[in-house]
CSV table of all heavy atoms in Angstrom, one decimal:
chain,number,residue,atom,x,y,z
A,23,GLU,N,0.9,-1.2,0.0
A,23,GLU,CA,0.0,0.0,0.1
A,23,GLU,C,0.8,1.3,0.0
A,23,GLU,O,1.9,1.3,0.6
A,23,GLU,CB,-0.9,0.0,1.2
A,23,GLU,CG,-1.9,-1.0,1.3
A,23,GLU,CD,-2.6,-1.0,2.6
A,23,GLU,OE1,-2.4,-0.2,3.6
A,23,GLU,OE2,-3.7,-1.8,2.7
A,24,PRO,N,0.4,2.3,-0.7
A,24,PRO,CA,1.2,3.5,-0.6
A,24,PRO,C,1.4,4.1,0.8
A,24,PRO,O,0.4,3.8,1.7
A,24,PRO,CB,0.4,4.5,-1.3
A,24,PRO,CG,-0.4,3.7,-2.2
A,24,PRO,CD,-0.7,2.5,-1.5
A,25,LEU,N,2.6,4.6,1.3
A,25,LEU,CA,2.8,5.1,2.6
A,25,LEU,C,1.9,6.3,3.0
A,25,LEU,O,1.8,7.1,2.1
A,25,LEU,CB,4.2,5.3,2.9
A,25,LEU,CG,5.2,4.2,3.2
A,25,LEU,CD1,5.3,3.0,2.2
A,25,LEU,CD2,6.6,4.7,3.5
A,26,ALA,N,1.3,6.2,4.1
A,26,ALA,CA,0.5,7.2,4.7
A,26,ALA,C,1.2,8.0,5.8
A,26,ALA,O,1.7,7.3,6.7
A,26,ALA,CB,-0.9,6.8,5.1
A,27,ARG,N,1.3,9.3,5.7
A,27,ARG,CA,2.1,10.0,6.7
A,27,ARG,C,1.3,10.1,8.1
A,27,ARG,O,0.0,10.3,8.0
A,27,ARG,CB,2.3,11.5,6.2
A,27,ARG,CG,3.3,12.3,7.0
A,27,ARG,CD,3.5,13.6,6.3
A,27,ARG,NE,4.1,13.5,5.0
A,27,ARG,CZ,5.4,13.5,4.8
A,27,ARG,NH1,6.2,13.7,5.8
A,27,ARG,NH2,5.8,13.3,3.5
A,28,THR,N,1.9,10.0,9.1
A,28,THR,CA,1.3,10.0,10.5
A,28,THR,C,2.2,10.9,11.4
A,28,THR,O,3.2,11.4,10.9
A,28,THR,CB,1.3,8.6,11.1
A,28,THR,OG1,2.6,8.2,11.6
A,28,THR,CG2,0.7,7.6,10.2
A,29,GLN,N,1.7,11.2,12.6
A,29,GLN,CA,2.5,12.0,13.5
A,29,GLN,C,3.7,11.3,13.9
A,29,GLN,O,4.7,12.0,14.4
A,29,GLN,CB,1.6,12.4,14.7
A,29,GLN,CG,0.5,13.3,14.4
A,29,GLN,CD,-0.3,13.7,15.6
A,29,GLN,OE1,-0.3,13.0,16.7
A,29,GLN,NE2,-1.0,14.8,15.5
A,30,LEU,N,3.8,9.9,13.8
A,30,LEU,CA,5.0,9.2,14.2
A,30,LEU,C,5.8,8.8,13.1
A,30,LEU,O,7.0,8.5,13.3
A,30,LEU,CB,4.5,7.9,14.9
A,30,LEU,CG,3.6,8.1,16.1
A,30,LEU,CD1,3.2,6.7,16.6
A,30,LEU,CD2,4.2,8.9,17.2
A,31,GLY,N,5.4,9.0,11.9
A,31,GLY,CA,6.2,8.5,10.8
A,31,GLY,C,5.3,8.2,9.6
A,31,GLY,O,4.7,9.1,8.9
A,32,PHE,N,5.3,6.8,9.2
A,32,PHE,CA,4.4,6.4,8.1
A,32,PHE,C,3.8,5.1,8.4
A,32,PHE,O,4.4,4.3,9.0
A,32,PHE,CB,5.2,6.3,6.8
A,32,PHE,CG,6.0,7.6,6.4
A,32,PHE,CD1,7.1,8.0,6.9
A,32,PHE,CD2,5.2,8.4,5.5
A,32,PHE,CE1,7.6,9.3,6.5
A,32,PHE,CE2,5.8,9.7,5.2
A,32,PHE,CZ,7.0,10.1,5.7
A,33,ASP,N,2.6,4.9,7.9
A,33,ASP,CA,1.8,3.6,8.0
A,33,ASP,C,1.6,3.1,6.6
A,33,ASP,O,1.4,3.8,5.7
A,33,ASP,CB,0.5,3.8,8.7
A,33,ASP,CG,0.6,4.1,10.2
A,33,ASP,OD1,1.7,3.9,10.7
A,33,ASP,OD2,-0.4,4.4,10.8
A,34,TYR,N,1.5,1.7,6.5
A,34,TYR,CA,1.3,1.1,5.2
A,34,TYR,C,1.0,-0.3,5.5
A,34,TYR,O,0.9,-0.8,6.6
A,34,TYR,CB,2.4,1.2,4.2
A,34,TYR,CG,3.7,0.2,4.6
A,34,TYR,CD1,4.0,-0.8,3.7
A,34,TYR,CD2,4.4,0.4,5.8
A,34,TYR,CE1,5.0,-1.6,4.0
A,34,TYR,CE2,5.4,-0.4,6.0
A,34,TYR,CZ,5.7,-1.5,5.2
A,34,TYR,OH,6.7,-2.3,5.4
A,35,MET,N,0.9,-1.2,4.5
A,35,MET,CA,0.8,-2.6,4.6
A,35,MET,C,1.4,-3.3,3.4
A,35,MET,O,1.2,-3.0,2.2
A,35,MET,CB,-0.7,-3.1,4.7
A,35,MET,CG,-0.9,-4.6,5.1
A,35,MET,SD,-0.2,-5.0,6.7
A,35,MET,CE,-0.1,-6.8,6.6
A,36,ASP,N,2.4,-4.2,3.8
A,36,ASP,CA,3.0,-5.0,2.7
A,36,ASP,C,1.9,-5.9,2.1
A,36,ASP,O,1.1,-6.5,2.8
A,36,ASP,CB,4.1,-5.9,3.4
A,36,ASP,CG,4.9,-6.7,2.4
A,36,ASP,OD1,4.4,-7.4,1.5
A,36,ASP,OD2,6.1,-6.6,2.5
A,37,LEU,N,2.0,-6.1,0.8
A,37,LEU,CA,1.0,-6.9,0.1
A,37,LEU,C,1.5,-8.2,-0.6
A,37,LEU,O,1.1,-8.6,-1.6
A,37,LEU,CB,0.3,-6.0,-0.9
A,37,LEU,CG,-0.5,-4.9,-0.3
A,37,LEU,CD1,-1.1,-3.9,-1.3
A,37,LEU,CD2,-1.6,-5.5,0.6
A,38,ALA,N,2.6,-8.7,0.0
A,38,ALA,CA,3.0,-10.1,-0.2
A,38,ALA,C,4.0,-10.2,-1.4
A,38,ALA,O,5.1,-10.7,-1.3
A,38,ALA,CB,1.9,-11.1,-0.4
A,39,LEU,N,3.7,-9.7,-2.6
A,39,LEU,CA,4.4,-9.9,-3.8
A,39,LEU,C,5.7,-9.0,-3.8
A,39,LEU,O,5.6,-7.8,-3.4
A,39,LEU,CB,3.6,-9.6,-5.0
A,39,LEU,CG,4.3,-10.0,-6.4
A,39,LEU,CD1,4.6,-11.6,-6.5
A,39,LEU,CD2,3.4,-9.6,-7.5
A,40,ASP,N,6.8,-9.6,-4.2
A,40,ASP,CA,8.1,-8.8,-4.2
A,40,ASP,C,8.9,-9.2,-5.4
A,40,ASP,O,8.6,-10.1,-6.2
A,40,ASP,CB,9.1,-9.1,-2.9
A,40,ASP,CG,8.3,-8.9,-1.6
A,40,ASP,OD1,7.8,-7.8,-1.5
A,40,ASP,OD2,8.2,-9.9,-0.8
A,41,ILE,N,9.9,-8.3,-5.6
A,41,ILE,CA,10.8,-8.6,-6.8
A,41,ILE,C,12.3,-8.5,-6.3
A,41,ILE,O,12.6,-7.5,-5.6
A,41,ILE,CB,10.6,-7.6,-8.0
A,41,ILE,CG1,9.2,-7.7,-8.5
A,41,ILE,CG2,11.6,-7.9,-9.1
A,41,ILE,CD1,8.9,-6.5,-9.5
A,42,VAL,N,13.1,-9.5,-6.5
A,42,VAL,CA,14.5,-9.5,-6.1
A,42,VAL,C,15.4,-9.2,-7.4
A,42,VAL,O,15.2,-9.9,-8.4
A,42,VAL,CB,14.9,-10.9,-5.6
A,42,VAL,CG1,16.4,-10.8,-5.0
A,42,VAL,CG2,13.9,-11.2,-4.3
A,43,ILE,N,16.1,-8.2,-7.3
A,43,ILE,CA,17.1,-7.8,-8.3
A,43,ILE,C,18.5,-7.9,-7.9
A,43,ILE,O,18.8,-7.5,-6.8
A,43,ILE,CB,16.8,-6.3,-8.8
A,43,ILE,CG1,15.3,-6.2,-9.1
A,43,ILE,CG2,17.7,-5.8,-9.9
A,43,ILE,CD1,14.9,-4.7,-9.2
A,44,ASN,N,19.4,-8.5,-8.6
A,44,ASN,CA,20.8,-8.8,-8.2
A,44,ASN,C,21.5,-7.4,-8.2
A,44,ASN,O,21.1,-6.5,-8.7
A,44,ASN,CB,21.5,-9.9,-9.1
A,44,ASN,CG,21.8,-9.4,-10.5
A,44,ASN,OD1,21.3,-8.4,-10.9
A,44,ASN,ND2,22.6,-10.2,-11.1
A,45,ALA,N,22.8,-7.5,-7.6
A,45,ALA,CA,23.5,-6.3,-7.4
A,45,ALA,C,23.8,-5.5,-8.5
A,45,ALA,O,23.7,-4.2,-8.5
A,45,ALA,CB,24.7,-6.7,-6.5
A,46,ASN,N,24.1,-6.1,-9.7
A,46,ASN,CA,24.5,-5.4,-10.8
A,46,ASN,C,23.2,-5.1,-11.8
A,46,ASN,O,23.5,-4.6,-13.0
A,46,ASN,CB,25.6,-6.1,-11.7
A,46,ASN,CG,25.1,-7.5,-12.1
A,46,ASN,OD1,24.0,-7.8,-12.1
A,46,ASN,ND2,26.1,-8.3,-12.5
A,47,GLN,N,22.1,-5.4,-11.3
A,47,GLN,CA,20.8,-5.2,-12.0
A,47,GLN,C,20.6,-5.8,-13.2
A,47,GLN,O,19.8,-5.5,-14.1
A,47,GLN,CB,20.6,-3.6,-12.2
A,47,GLN,CG,20.8,-2.8,-11.0
A,47,GLN,CD,20.6,-1.3,-11.3
A,47,GLN,OE1,20.1,-0.9,-12.3
A,47,GLN,NE2,20.9,-0.4,-10.2
A,48,GLU,N,21.3,-6.9,-13.4
A,48,GLU,CA,21.2,-7.7,-14.7
A,48,GLU,C,20.3,-8.9,-14.7
A,48,GLU,O,19.8,-9.4,-15.7
A,48,GLU,CB,22.7,-8.2,-15.1
A,48,GLU,CG,23.6,-7.1,-15.5
A,48,GLU,CD,24.9,-7.7,-15.9
A,48,GLU,OE1,25.2,-8.9,-15.7
A,48,GLU,OE2,25.8,-6.9,-16.3
A,49,GLU,N,19.8,-9.3,-13.5
A,49,GLU,CA,18.9,-10.4,-13.3
A,49,GLU,C,17.9,-10.0,-12.2
A,49,GLU,O,18.2,-9.3,-11.3
A,49,GLU,CB,19.6,-11.7,-12.9
A,49,GLU,CG,20.7,-12.1,-13.9
A,49,GLU,CD,21.4,-13.4,-13.4
A,49,GLU,OE1,21.0,-14.0,-12.4
A,49,GLU,OE2,22.3,-13.8,-14.2
A,50,TRP,N,16.7,-10.6,-12.4
A,50,TRP,CA,15.7,-10.4,-11.4
A,50,TRP,C,14.7,-11.5,-11.4
A,50,TRP,O,14.7,-12.3,-12.4
A,50,TRP,CB,14.8,-9.1,-11.8
A,50,TRP,CG,14.2,-9.1,-13.1
A,50,TRP,CD1,14.6,-8.7,-14.2
A,50,TRP,CD2,12.9,-9.6,-13.3
A,50,TRP,NE1,13.8,-8.9,-15.2
A,50,TRP,CE2,12.6,-9.5,-14.7
A,50,TRP,CE3,11.9,-10.1,-12.5
A,50,TRP,CZ2,11.5,-9.9,-15.3
A,50,TRP,CZ3,10.6,-10.6,-13.2
A,50,TRP,CH2,10.5,-10.4,-14.5
A,51,ARG,N,13.9,-11.6,-10.3
A,51,ARG,CA,12.9,-12.6,-10.2
A,51,ARG,C,11.8,-12.2,-9.2
A,51,ARG,O,11.9,-11.4,-8.4
A,51,ARG,CB,13.5,-14.0,-9.6
A,51,ARG,CG,14.1,-13.9,-8.2
A,51,ARG,CD,14.7,-15.1,-7.8
A,51,ARG,NE,15.3,-15.0,-6.5
A,51,ARG,CZ,14.8,-15.1,-5.3
A,51,ARG,NH1,13.5,-15.3,-5.3
A,51,ARG,NH2,15.4,-14.9,-4.2
A,52,TRP,N,10.6,-12.6,-9.6
A,52,TRP,CA,9.4,-12.5,-8.7
A,52,TRP,C,9.7,-13.3,-7.4
A,52,TRP,O,10.2,-14.4,-7.4
A,52,TRP,CB,8.2,-12.9,-9.3
A,52,TRP,CG,7.7,-12.0,-10.4
A,52,TRP,CD1,7.9,-12.4,-11.8
A,52,TRP,CD2,7.1,-10.9,-10.4
A,52,TRP,NE1,7.4,-11.4,-12.6
A,52,TRP,CE2,6.9,-10.4,-11.8
A,52,TRP,CE3,6.6,-10.0,-9.4
A,52,TRP,CZ2,6.4,-9.1,-12.1
A,52,TRP,CZ3,6.0,-8.7,-9.8
A,52,TRP,CH2,5.9,-8.4,-11.1
A,53,LYS,N,9.2,-12.9,-6.3
A,53,LYS,CA,9.3,-13.6,-5.0
A,53,LYS,C,7.9,-13.5,-4.2
A,53,LYS,O,7.2,-12.6,-4.4
A,53,LYS,CB,10.4,-12.9,-4.1
A,53,LYS,CG,10.6,-13.5,-2.8
A,53,LYS,CD,11.7,-12.9,-2.0
A,53,LYS,CE,12.0,-13.5,-0.7
A,53,LYS,NZ,10.9,-13.4,0.2
A,54,ASP,N,7.7,-14.6,-3.5
A,54,ASP,CA,6.5,-14.7,-2.7
A,54,ASP,C,5.2,-14.8,-3.5
A,54,ASP,O,4.2,-14.4,-3.0
A,54,ASP,CB,6.4,-13.6,-1.6
A,54,ASP,CG,7.7,-13.8,-0.6
A,54,ASP,OD1,8.1,-14.9,-0.5
A,54,ASP,OD2,8.0,-12.8,-0.1
A,55,GLU,N,5.3,-15.3,-4.7
A,55,GLU,CA,4.0,-15.5,-5.5
A,55,GLU,C,3.1,-16.4,-4.8
A,55,GLU,O,1.9,-16.3,-4.9
A,55,GLU,CB,4.4,-16.0,-6.9
A,55,GLU,CG,5.0,-14.9,-7.7
A,55,GLU,CD,5.6,-15.5,-9.1
A,55,GLU,OE1,6.5,-16.3,-9.1
A,55,GLU,OE2,4.9,-15.2,-10.1
A,56,ASP,N,3.7,-17.4,-4.1
A,56,ASP,CA,2.8,-18.4,-3.3
A,56,ASP,C,2.1,-17.7,-2.2
A,56,ASP,O,0.9,-18.0,-1.9
A,56,ASP,CB,3.6,-19.6,-2.8
A,56,ASP,CG,4.9,-19.1,-2.0
A,56,ASP,OD1,5.3,-17.9,-2.1
A,56,ASP,OD2,5.3,-19.9,-1.1
A,57,GLU,N,2.7,-16.7,-1.5
A,57,GLU,CA,2.1,-16.0,-0.4
A,57,GLU,C,1.0,-15.2,-1.0
A,57,GLU,O,-0.1,-15.0,-0.4
A,57,GLU,CB,3.0,-15.2,0.3
A,57,GLU,CG,3.9,-15.9,1.2
A,57,GLU,CD,4.9,-15.0,2.1
A,57,GLU,OE1,4.5,-13.8,2.2
A,57,GLU,OE2,5.9,-15.5,2.6
A,58,LEU,N,1.2,-14.6,-2.1
A,58,LEU,CA,0.1,-13.7,-2.8
A,58,LEU,C,-1.1,-14.6,-3.1
A,58,LEU,O,-2.2,-14.2,-2.9
A,58,LEU,CB,0.6,-13.0,-3.9
A,58,LEU,CG,-0.4,-12.2,-4.8
A,58,LEU,CD1,-0.9,-11.0,-3.9
A,58,LEU,CD2,0.2,-11.6,-6.0
A,59,GLN,N,-0.8,-15.7,-3.7
A,59,GLN,CA,-1.9,-16.7,-4.0
A,59,GLN,C,-2.7,-17.1,-2.8
A,59,GLN,O,-3.9,-17.2,-2.8
A,59,GLN,CB,-1.3,-17.9,-4.8
A,59,GLN,CG,-2.4,-18.8,-5.2
A,59,GLN,CD,-3.4,-18.2,-6.2
A,59,GLN,OE1,-3.1,-17.4,-7.0
A,59,GLN,NE2,-4.6,-18.7,-6.0
A,60,GLU,N,-2.0,-17.4,-1.7
A,60,GLU,CA,-2.6,-17.7,-0.5
A,60,GLU,C,-3.4,-16.6,0.1
A,60,GLU,O,-4.6,-16.9,0.6
A,60,GLU,CB,-1.6,-18.2,0.6
A,60,GLU,CG,-2.2,-18.7,1.9
A,60,GLU,CD,-1.1,-19.1,3.0
A,60,GLU,OE1,0.0,-19.0,2.7
A,60,GLU,OE2,-1.5,-19.5,4.0
A,61,ALA,N,-3.0,-15.4,0.0
A,61,ALA,CA,-3.7,-14.3,0.5
A,61,ALA,C,-4.9,-14.1,-0.3
A,61,ALA,O,-6.0,-13.7,0.2
A,61,ALA,CB,-2.8,-13.0,0.4
A,62,VAL,N,-4.9,-14.3,-1.7
A,62,VAL,CA,-6.2,-14.3,-2.5
A,62,VAL,C,-7.1,-15.4,-2.1
A,62,VAL,O,-8.3,-15.1,-2.0
A,62,VAL,CB,-5.8,-14.4,-4.0
A,62,VAL,CG1,-7.0,-14.5,-4.8
A,62,VAL,CG2,-4.9,-13.2,-4.5
A,63,GLU,N,-6.7,-16.5,-1.9
A,63,GLU,CA,-7.4,-17.7,-1.5
A,63,GLU,C,-8.1,-17.5,-0.2
A,63,GLU,O,-9.3,-18.0,0.1
A,63,GLU,CB,-6.6,-19.0,-1.5
A,63,GLU,CG,-6.2,-19.4,-3.0
A,63,GLU,CD,-5.3,-20.5,-3.0
A,63,GLU,OE1,-4.9,-21.0,-1.9
A,63,GLU,OE2,-5.0,-21.0,-4.1
A,64,GLU,N,-7.4,-16.9,0.7
A,64,GLU,CA,-7.9,-16.5,2.1
A,64,GLU,C,-8.9,-15.4,2.2
A,64,GLU,O,-9.4,-15.1,3.1
A,64,GLU,CB,-6.7,-16.3,3.1
A,64,GLU,CG,-5.9,-17.5,3.3
A,64,GLU,CD,-6.6,-18.5,4.3
A,64,GLU,OE1,-7.5,-18.1,5.0
A,64,GLU,OE2,-6.1,-19.7,4.3
A,65,GLY,N,-9.0,-14.6,1.0
A,65,GLY,CA,-9.9,-13.4,1.0
A,65,GLY,C,-9.2,-12.3,1.5
A,65,GLY,O,-9.9,-11.3,1.7
């Protein structure tokens, strides 16, 4: 979720899906697709 400004800092919520990119930016992969699918199945 987009970060929301608060009096303490910022609030948001991670939404499971991620992308991992290697140090030289030449390779990448999706991560936690299984968690996203589980989150969808759980509603």
Side-chain angles (χ1 to χ4, degrees):
E23 294 178 351
L25 270 62
R27 191 177 297 269
T28 73
Q29 292 184 338
L30 303 178
F32 298 89
D33 288 351
Y34 78 111
M35 187 64 194
D36 187 308
L37 295 174
L39 189 62
D40 304 305
I41 304 172
V42 180
I43 303 167
N44 71 349
N46 62 15
Q47 303 181 13
E48 292 181 353
E49 299 178 6
W50 61 270
R51 61 181 174 85
W52 294 100
K53 182 177 180 294
D54 296 335
E55 292 176 288
D56 56 336
E57 284 185 19
L58 178 62
Q59 181 60 35
E60 183 180 2
V62 170
E63 292 172 355
E64 293 283 344

